[in-house]
Amino acid sequence: MQNFISLLKQSISQETLIYISFGNVRNKSTLYRKVTIRPVLLRNQLSYQATYHFEKKVTHKNFKQEDCISFCIELLKDSFKQCNLFCEDADYQILAAKVDKLKIIKSSPSKRKEDIQLSHNQEKQYIIPDGEPCDFLIHLGVMTKEGRVIQRHYNKFRQINRFLEIVSDVIDYLPDRAKIIDFGCGKAYLTFALYYYLNFKLKKDVTIIGLDLKEDIIDFCNKIASQLHYDRLVFQMGDIAEYQETAKADMVVTLHACDTATDFALIKAVCWEASVILSVPCCQHELFSQIHNDINFPILKQGILKERFSAILTDSLRALKLTEHGYDVSMIEFTSLEHTAKNIMIRAVSDVNRKNQQTAAMKQAAEEFKTLCSFWNVNPTISKLC
Ligand SMILES: C[S@@+](CC[C@H](N)C(=O)[O-])C[C@H]1O[C@@H](n2cnc3c(N)ncnc32)[C@H](O)[C@@H]1O
């Protein structure tokens, strides 16, 4: 039994476990014939799902990592005489006719991790699929050379694919030859993803500039871009607010750029008449110290509510300002709330044909913006966009 336990511990801790199957029931009165176990992501935690195979139905039970081992030991002791353990490095057949005399037979691996669904329910069809080597993901350490997503980077992998899904929804607003700016690109996983998707998957002719305050990040990203031969992807050091480039960008991306950095990015985007803006604001602190309204004092006196409300008001005012400037604006969920609370994206698209028309919606947005600012006694940075 000790060898079996060691095998389980090792395959679970090293995340090489693909699938476990228990069969050959010890006792004919056992109602289920087989139990299988596979890793699943539950609320983003690597967990294990046992499936009980009854005569005419299957049922499921989920386990935390630490409980999976004791569950397997119990199954082998009490219910089954055989277990097959499929790992990335090998298959193991455990014969347990006598519990105190286990026989373990090792053979070459027969299953691949990408063949097993990791998600709790249906596996998603990702734009960049798990199992298909993708150069920038390999370079950034998210995938192995063989194209397998490394478990601990699965969140990042899903965020990248979610971002590309959002981009695919607005693709009709972008010209085939487009210039994009990613303000506050950070380590640029999403910038690389954007370049890869538009230039290689969709065969567009897209130039991207990533801008960030941090020199080391910019050097790192330029090095990777050059190693990957992403020749039209350039990273520059600078502050969004002081960015001087006057040439028009067709799309502006700004994901998690803090506080008013988002406003400066939106202002630039509108001035360039960018057709697409994708912005995930964060750390909306600006209005916290300004917001004041006597009627709502009972809410605002609670710091945490005031903070959350300030963030919502900030983003609502941003959305109104973009609408006033002719954009169709929607607030969408970027990643699921269980990953991060910073998950609201402002998606704004502008139809070139409607650009110079003053619509009723634009007028109404302008009115609403003024009313809200006066009601809450605020003057946000986005007001600079007159
Ligand atoms: C939380 S990271 C997000 C990185 C990336 N956009 C993402 O979502 O994965 C925010 C980045 O924005 C950069 N940043 C914040 N304010 C900025 C500003 N005013 N100008 C340029 N970059 C800024 C920071 O240096 C940091 O790298």
Side-chain angles (χ1 to χ4, degrees):
M1 190 58 76
Q2 204 47 50
N3 289 349
F4 173 60
I5 298 171
S6 305
L7 261 182
L8 276 174
K9 276 190 180 159
Q10 188 184 321
S11 62
I12 286 177
S13 67
Q14 295 179 358
E15 296 183 4
T16 55
L17 175 66
I18 299 175
Y19 188 68
I20 313 178
S21 169
F22 289 88
N24 198 357
V25 286
R26 248 178 228 297
N27 188 336
K28 291 276 181 281
S29 62
T30 306
L31 292 176
Y32 40 85
R33 302 284 115 221
K34 193 167 105 167
V35 173
T36 54
I37 300 173
R38 66 185 181 108
V40 286
L41 283 176
L42 292 177
R43 293 176 195 277
N44 251 2
Q45 285 277 317
L46 184 60
S47 309
Y48 293 85
Q49 183 174 74
T51 304
Y52 292 80
H53 299 256
F54 293 85
E55 195 71 28
K56 287 191 178 157
K57 63 169 185 178
V58 293
T59 59
H60 300 288
K61 191 170 172 185
N62 298 320
F63 293 93
K64 286 189 189 144
Q65 197 157 339
E66 54 271 27
D67 300 329
C68 183
I69 295 173
S70 48
F71 174 67
C72 289
I73 297 169
E74 260 174 48
L75 277 181
L76 202 61
K77 273 187 179 163
D78 303 337
S79 307
F80 294 103
K81 293 187 204 163
Q82 186 175 329
C83 167
N84 289 76
L85 191 68
F86 300 95
C87 302
E88 280 181 271
D89 53 337
D91 287 358
Y92 299 91
Q93 188 179 38
I94 296 102
L95 302 172
K98 290 185 184 159
V99 176
D100 53 348
K101 271 196 176 175
L102 296 196
K103 192 172 171 194
I104 300 184
I105 303 163
K106 182 176 176 184
S107 57
S108 311
S110 64
K111 292 197 189 298
R112 296 183 319 154
K113 212 165 205 172
E114 51 268 31
D115 297 336
I116 302 293
Q117 292 180 356
L118 195 63
S119 77
H120 183 33
N121 296 314
Q122 268 302 304
E123 187 63 54
K124 267 188 79 72
Q125 289 298 312
Y126 287 124
I127 289 178
I128 302 178
D130 186 358
E132 189 181 295
C134 164
D135 58 0
F136 82 90
L137 286 178
I138 296 170
H139 237 81
L140 294 171
V142 175
M143 255 186 190
T144 62
K145 279 192 190 122
E146 295 72 35
R148 188 174 60 75
V149 176
I150 295 165
Q151 212 96 94
R152 65 176 178 284
H153 294 308
Y154 227 90
N155 280 351
K156 188 45 91 182
F157 175 71
R158 286 205 294 193
Q159 187 201 41
I160 287 169
N161 273 294
R162 170 70 185 137
F163 176 58
L164 296 184
E165 255 172 44
I166 294 170
V167 173
S168 77
D169 285 344
V170 296
I171 205 70
D172 290 344
Y173 290 89
L174 267 190
D176 284 340
R177 227 166 157 217
K179 181 177 164 194
I180 299 177
I181 304 207
D182 183 354
F183 281 130
C185 59
K187 270 185 138 185
Y189 291 81
L190 298 165
T191 331
F192 281 104
L194 192 60
Y195 187 89
Y196 175 86
Y197 175 55
L198 296 174
N199 283 306
F200 303 135
K201 287 238 167 198
L202 299 187
K203 311 277 183 226
K204 288 183 175 281
D205 181 0
V206 171
T207 301
I208 305 186
I209 296 170
L211 187 92
D212 204 282
L213 286 171
K214 296 178 188 149
E215 190 175 8
D216 54 336
I217 281 185
I218 292 303
D219 291 346
F220 168 84
C221 293
N222 273 326
K223 203 166 123 205
I224 304 261
S226 140
Q227 285 165 353
L228 289 166
H229 303 291
Y230 285 14
D231 300 331
R232 279 164 292 134
L233 174 56
V234 183
F235 294 92
Q236 297 172 355
M237 197 181 85
D239 188 325
I240 302 168
E242 283 154 24
Y243 189 69
Q244 289 300 335
E245 178 65 70
T246 48
K248 170 181 173 1
D250 302 289
M251 173 170 168
V252 168
V253 174
T254 178
L255 307 170
H256 308 118
C258 307
D259 203 9
T260 53
T262 295
D263 299 295
F264 291 111
L266 298 179
I267 291 170
K268 303 258 180 242
V270 174
C271 294
W272 288 323
E273 300 186 337
S275 324
V276 178
I277 303 171
L278 298 179
S279 169
V280 177
C282 77
C283 311
Q284 300 94 325
H285 300 311
E286 186 186 30
L287 299 192
F288 187 86
S289 56
Q290 297 182 18
I291 196 166
H292 174 79
N293 179 282
D294 286 340
I295 300 167
N296 288 290
F297 177 73
I299 301 174
L300 300 179
K301 72 178 181 187
Q302 301 293 347
I304 186 164
L305 298 183
K306 186 176 175 186
E307 192 184 303
R308 292 200 187 164
F309 187 75
S310 303
I312 290 174
L313 182 62
T314 306
D315 292 339
S316 309
L317 291 169
R318 287 166 173 165
L320 284 173
K321 209 45 161 175
L322 292 176
T323 309
E324 184 187 330
H325 281 263
Y327 284 86
D328 275 339
V329 183
S330 5
M331 305 295 239
I332 58 172
E333 190 173 67
F334 177 34
T335 48
S336 141
L337 245 189
E338 66 202 29
H339 301 155
T340 166
K342 299 165 186 172
N343 75 333
I344 293 179
M345 174 181 271
I346 303 174
R347 181 184 65 187
V349 289
S350 161
D351 190 336
V352 200
N353 302 321
R354 280 192 10 218
K355 227 157 218 157
N356 296 318
Q357 294 171 17
Q358 167 88 349
T359 64
M362 288 158 73
K363 273 191 207 155
Q364 187 181 336
E367 283 307 314
E368 287 171 353
F369 184 90
K370 276 191 214 147
T371 309
L372 269 187
C373 285
S374 123
F375 184 78
W376 293 106
N377 202 24
V378 293
N379 181 21
T381 296
I382 198 69
S383 310
K384 292 190 176 28
L385 190 55
C386 296

